[in-house]
Amino acid sequence: MARRELDPPPVCPTYDKPAAGLPGVTHVMAYARSTSGLVRGTRALLRLNQVKGFDCPSCAWPDPHHRSFAEFCENGARATAHEADARRADAAFFAAHTIAELAEHDDYWLEQQGRLVTPLVKREGEARYEPLSYDDAYALIGEELSALRSPDELVLYTSGRASNEAAFLYQLFARAFGTNNLPDCSNMCHESSGVGLGDTIGVGKGTVQLEDFAAADLILILGQNPGTNHPRMLSTLAEARERGAAIVAINPLKEVGLVSFGHPQTVRGMLGLGERIASHYAQVRIGGDVALLKGMMKVVVAEDALDRAFLAEHTVGLDALLADLDATSWDDVVAESGLSREAIEELGLLYARAERVIACWAMGITQHKNGVDNVRAIVDLLLLRGNIGRPGAGVCPVRGHSNVQGDRTMGIYEKPSSDFLTRLDAATGITSPRAHGVDAVAAVGAFERGEARVFIGLGGNFVRAMSDCDRTAAALRKARLTVHVATKLNRSHLETGAIAVVLPCLARSERDVRAAGPQAVTVEDSMSRVHLSAGNLAPADEGLESEVAIVAGVAHATAKTSAVVDWPSLAADYDRVRDLIARVVDGFEDFNARVRAGEGFTLVNAASERRWDTPSGKAVLSVVPLVGRRLAADELVLMTIRSHDQFNTTIYGKDDRYRGVYGRRDVIFMHEADMLYRGIAAEDAVVVTSRFEGTTRTLAGFRALPYDVPRGNVAGYYPETNPLVPLESFADESRTPTSKSVVVTIARAPA
């Protein structure tokens, strides 16, 4: 992608107001007016997250049982307005622009061109997309798939926005075709949580429900920025603080949302009077979480605050953990965490004296080389005092996309269990492959080496979401065919194979009517609650197909899969898809009836009932080493972050008012002492370089901004800084890209 000329320095005023409040409301209304229009946007918002409405297309925070008429946050409202856009990127738009011309624009501009409303094809040797029918697109894709030498030349990527029904049919299509190549956005974000929790407590999901937050004495928020990424969580945290719970925020950056929250549905909030959220704020160094957690565990041991009865009955590994904690020096804990011993001991005592504790986390924990160990250390801390499997206590990995957890439950996984495949085969009559497929990192390598030839993306923006995104783009350009199912134009659609197809789909907020009548889909939130989602808006175009219909259409047009499954029947009536899911997926028995009863149902979680699905039948205490990273004098550690005006790779605007940045995104946040050491003044142009195993990646044209971040640490926006994350730099065991832990050097740009 061509880089534009360097803009003037940014103006960065300090943001001294609470999160949300009246500014949040005014920003939402302004965005709705410029995209969906106020009438269409308001109609959508009044059904957003309601029992008979549609599920928010942004984060996966659960809905409360008692809902207000406006059960949404600023982020969810913008996401809804974004997909309900009244503007159109139609056939005339693509006739007026070559793909190369479109690629000159930034990501924000691309998505602001409006909704995609007609299927598109770039034929071999052509420079533009041109329209075609859905049936012709399906036939083209089916023909290309039938020509592959091996099923494993196909890679099927899934974004977390796909419904349970679409995801189930997608994985069924993959396995009927003969491959387990099903990378998904979990590979890039919470895979470390799934591995760490699966190994220790026997289930790769959280163990708490929303009601547990009303009973917790202490809530730990680790590596997470709810104010930007999961704003509805702030209401839950504010209620917990009001009744006296302590909330500890553990994060390198001090984020506004965890300092003060102005609830937009209260008079105080609308007047700009915020409620304090965090009772304690620990600005741990990047990669210092294990050190802090081990320090807190040392305090628990010193205070003799272990729940010995629980540990004896429910865990293994205590002696080894205690020996390791005894051997871990306070000097190392302090040096690696970046916090004083006194601060760590204060948090340790707070934890040791709390009766019920919940630990929440997100990407700041998982996207490190030791991301799985970070999760294990959290589990260790909780298990020492029996804080898993009882009311008001447990683990809470907060998913960043609306149905990413449901997609995995439906079988979107490159390493499926034999039991799942056996049940899938029995229910459908197919013969699933047993060999593991590729994850997101391996998929890029497969295209680089020519081992994969067709990429299909069910939603998302793979090129920009993936680490080493310039290299990812180059890899996809080697493909024979790239296919994307999407609502809006994004960067991935412009990094094409020899042939490229874009299939526009209905948005979650839009009515979906099939042969059997109006349809609804289902999703699973961060706390394993499954519920219906049915849009209420008129479709952006009457000819648009749903994700379910598109997956079924491609599968029906592919010779190898058309004969074994009645795809048109499944696409005609989603109840039939759910009946099939009920026969395959644990916990979905009598799916159609249960999901229509009230607010849906919650999947059984064995660990929440203190049943441990591990080889020993008990929860596992782990010995987790300190990171022990040693940096050269000129090296810093970079973490990628989101602005407040984006969701995942979707950029709603170029402002980040909570951090005082307006009109641009190419900035690097630095400690003032680190800037002074390098001769960098505020707003200077800088060059950022990462080096990994003999390779170098460089970004120029960024501006350095002084910010409250630990010495030796820096931060930059995702996905703009993704090119600095090496493809081969990923978490041990989970292979999650290390987007929160990139060693870089930063220097003033040449004059």
Side-chain angles (χ1 to χ4, degrees):
M1 182 177 119
R3 174 163 289 283
R4 56 186 168 76
E5 293 299 313
L6 187 65
D7 289 338
V11 177
C12 301
T14 300
Y15 188 85
D16 57 1
K17 302 177 181 64
L22 182 60
V25 175
T26 57
H27 278 79
V28 163
M29 300 311 293
Y31 192 77
R33 185 168 56 249
S34 67
T35 53
S36 60
L38 286 179
V39 174
R40 181 175 168 88
T42 301
R43 283 193 65 207
L45 292 176
L46 291 177
R47 288 283 295 276
L48 180 59
N49 294 323
Q50 300 299 327
V51 173
K52 293 186 178 181
F54 63 93
D55 191 66
C56 182
S58 61
C59 83
W61 191 251
D63 302 319
H65 294 301
H66 303 289
R67 307 180 196 191
S68 71
F69 75 95
E71 193 56 59
F72 52 83
C73 65
E74 181 180 351
N75 209 4
R78 272 188 302 211
T80 300
H82 186 76
E83 71 171 24
D85 203 329
R87 299 168 295 183
R88 301 290 179 261
D90 54 16
F93 171 83
F94 287 97
H97 299 281
T98 67
I99 293 172
E101 289 168 350
L102 292 171
E104 290 296 314
H105 293 280
D106 64 18
D107 296 355
Y108 169 72
W109 186 91
L110 293 175
E111 297 217 23
Q112 290 299 315
Q113 300 315 299
R115 285 287 298 279
L116 296 165
V117 290
T118 184
L120 302 164
V121 61
K122 184 205 83 71
R123 301 188 189 277
E124 192 166 9
E126 295 298 321
R128 284 180 168 83
Y129 278 112
E130 61 184 57
L132 78 171
S133 69
Y134 279 104
D135 285 343
D136 287 345
Y138 299 155
L140 184 157
I141 296 166
E143 182 179 348
E144 290 292 330
L145 293 180
S146 297
L148 294 179
R149 296 162 297 190
S150 162
D152 287 330
E153 290 186 323
L154 170 62
V155 172
L156 302 106
Y157 172 74
T158 317
S159 160
R161 75 174 298 281
S163 67
N164 287 329
E165 291 74 15
F168 183 84
L169 291 191
Y170 200 52
Q171 64 82 30
L172 175 59
F173 169 51
R175 282 147 188 155
F177 189 73
T179 185
N180 283 314
N181 286 346
L182 285 161
D184 72 329
C185 56
S186 287
N187 295 156
M188 305 176 195
C189 56
H190 264 296
E191 200 71 65
S192 295
S193 296
V195 173
L197 293 174
D199 286 350
T200 56
I201 63 173
V203 60
K205 302 180 181 182
T207 64
V208 299
Q209 295 297 309
L210 205 56
E211 296 76 15
D212 288 307
F213 285 81
D217 302 311
L218 170 63
I219 301 169
L220 305 176
I221 311 292
L222 301 104
Q224 185 188 1
N225 178 16
T228 289
N229 301 326
H230 320 92
R232 283 201 299 158
M233 183 179 179
L234 293 180
S235 299
T236 303
L237 296 178
E239 291 169 1
R241 281 288 289 138
E242 185 176 2
R243 62 171 181 77
I247 297 177
V248 177
I250 299 169
N251 199 53
L253 275 66
K254 184 171 283 189
E255 303 288 12
V256 169
L258 286 171
V259 175
S260 180
F261 169 57
H263 199 308
Q265 295 184 25
T266 66
V267 174
R268 282 180 54 84
M270 292 297 281
L271 291 175
L273 302 174
E275 305 294 335
R276 185 180 179 186
I277 298 296
S279 56
H280 300 73
Y281 215 114
Q283 286 186 264
V284 67
R285 283 182 181 153
I286 294 173
D289 301 283
V290 166
L292 169 59
L293 292 165
K294 292 183 83 164
M296 292 173 67
M297 284 187 270
K298 286 175 71 69
V299 174
V300 172
V301 174
E303 292 292 306
D304 194 23
L306 280 67
D307 186 338
R308 295 191 179 276
F310 168 84
L311 290 166
E313 181 181 354
H314 289 283
T315 71
V316 294
L318 177 61
D319 290 344
L321 175 59
L322 293 178
D324 175 70
L325 292 174
D326 184 59
T328 301
S329 75
W330 272 107
D331 287 345
D332 288 342
V333 166
V334 168
E336 191 159 300
S337 68
L339 302 171
S340 69
R341 178 170 176 173
E342 291 73 21
I344 298 171
E345 286 181 330
E346 180 183 2
L347 297 182
L349 287 171
L350 185 67
Y351 175 75
R353 294 166 183 170
E355 291 299 317
R356 295 170 298 279
V357 182
I358 295 173
C360 307
W361 69 88
M363 305 301 95
I365 288 296
T366 61
Q367 291 180 328
H368 298 264
K369 190 175 189 303
N370 71 328
V372 175
D373 274 352
N374 282 338
V375 174
R376 288 178 178 138
I378 294 171
V379 173
D380 280 347
L381 179 68
L382 293 175
L383 289 177
L384 286 180
R385 287 190 42 75
N387 276 311
I388 297 180
R390 58 192 178 93
V395 294
C396 182
V398 182
R399 311 291 174 171
H401 217 321
S402 56
N403 197 43
V404 62
Q405 186 160 294
D407 288 351
R408 181 57 58 86
T409 302
M410 291 297 107
I412 299 292
Y413 190 35
E414 74 278 2
K415 295 182 288 188
S417 70
S418 177
D419 181 58
F420 177 88
L421 295 180
T422 297
R423 282 180 279 128
L424 182 67
D425 292 355
T428 63
I430 70 169
T431 302
S432 299
R434 264 48 182 181
H436 289 173
V438 296
D439 59 17
V441 169
V444 177
F447 280 103
E448 285 183 325
R449 296 186 298 272
E451 296 167 3
R453 301 181 67 230
V454 176
F455 177 93
I456 303 179
L458 183 60
N461 186 354
F462 183 74
V463 163
R464 293 300 270 161
M466 191 59 198
S467 57
D468 226 338
C469 53
D470 291 346
R471 184 173 162 189
T472 298
L476 287 191
R477 291 196 295 269
K478 294 183 177 182
R480 167 67 183 173
L481 170 67
T482 51
V483 180
H484 296 278
V485 181
T487 55
K488 284 196 167 185
L489 179 65
N490 67 47
R491 181 68 49 191
S492 292
H493 308 157
L494 309 179
E495 304 293 353
T496 70
I499 304 170
V501 175
V502 176
L503 297 170
C505 65
L506 290 169
R508 192 174 286 179
S509 56
E510 292 171 334
R511 292 191 298 270
D512 181 3
V513 181
R514 304 295 299 164
Q519 302 294 311
V521 294
T522 61
V523 295
E524 178 187 349
D525 64 32
S526 271
M527 296 177 188
S528 302
R529 286 166 55 179
V530 180
H531 57 275
L532 283 170
S533 174
N536 68 313
L537 298 181
D541 186 273
E542 288 302 322
L544 283 176
E545 293 273 29
S546 68
E547 289 179 319
V548 172
I550 289 171
V551 173
V554 172
H556 185 60
T558 302
K560 190 172 182 180
T561 57
S562 62
V564 293
V565 175
D566 186 356
W567 301 100
S569 173
L570 294 171
D573 185 351
Y574 301 170
D575 277 0
R576 294 170 185 162
V577 182
R578 286 186 282 272
D579 284 340
L580 197 53
I581 292 170
R583 296 170 60 191
V584 176
V585 184
D586 283 340
F588 285 81
E589 299 78 10
D590 202 16
F591 189 3
N592 274 306
R594 292 167 65 207
V595 81
R596 286 183 168 90
E599 300 177 7
F601 59 93
T602 300
L603 297 173
V604 173
N605 184 303
S608 68
E609 300 173 352
R610 292 190 170 178
R611 293 181 288 108
W612 319 103
D613 188 15
T614 62
S616 65
K618 294 188 176 185
V620 178
L621 291 157
S622 309
V623 173
V624 177
L626 298 178
V627 174
R629 173 188 283 145
R630 296 292 182 266
L631 298 176
D634 64 337
E635 290 180 330
L636 302 158
V637 183
L638 167 78
M639 61 184 289
T640 66
I641 58 175
R642 295 179 190 166
S643 77
H644 190 63
D645 228 359
Q646 75 178 100
F647 181 72
N648 288 350
T649 58
T650 299
I651 313 301
Y652 302 127
K654 296 185 179 181
D655 295 345
D656 187 1
R657 69 178 188 273
Y658 288 175
R659 298 189 182 103
V661 179
Y662 293 87
R664 67 183 305 140
R665 293 178 54 82
D666 48 0
V667 298
I668 296 293
F669 300 100
M670 302 181 67
H671 191 285
E672 287 184 301
D674 289 327
M675 296 174 68
L676 181 64
Y677 177 79
R678 290 160 178 78
I680 298 171
E683 303 175 1
D684 273 355
V686 295
V687 176
V688 188
T689 302
S690 71
R691 293 179 175 85
F692 183 81
E693 296 182 351
T695 61
T696 300
R697 295 157 181 80
T698 299
L699 289 177
F702 279 63
R703 297 278 183 175
L705 298 179
Y707 203 76
D708 184 7
V709 61
R711 181 82 187 269
N713 294 170
V714 297
Y717 292 129
Y718 155 103
E720 285 80 1
T721 53
N722 270 12
L724 295 169
V725 186
L727 186 69
E728 290 83 4
S729 181
F730 47 74
D732 296 335
E733 302 176 71
S734 72
R735 293 171 55 85
T736 300
T738 59
S739 302
K740 293 293 187 288
S741 188
V742 184
V743 177
V744 299
T745 58
I746 299 178
R748 287 184 61 191

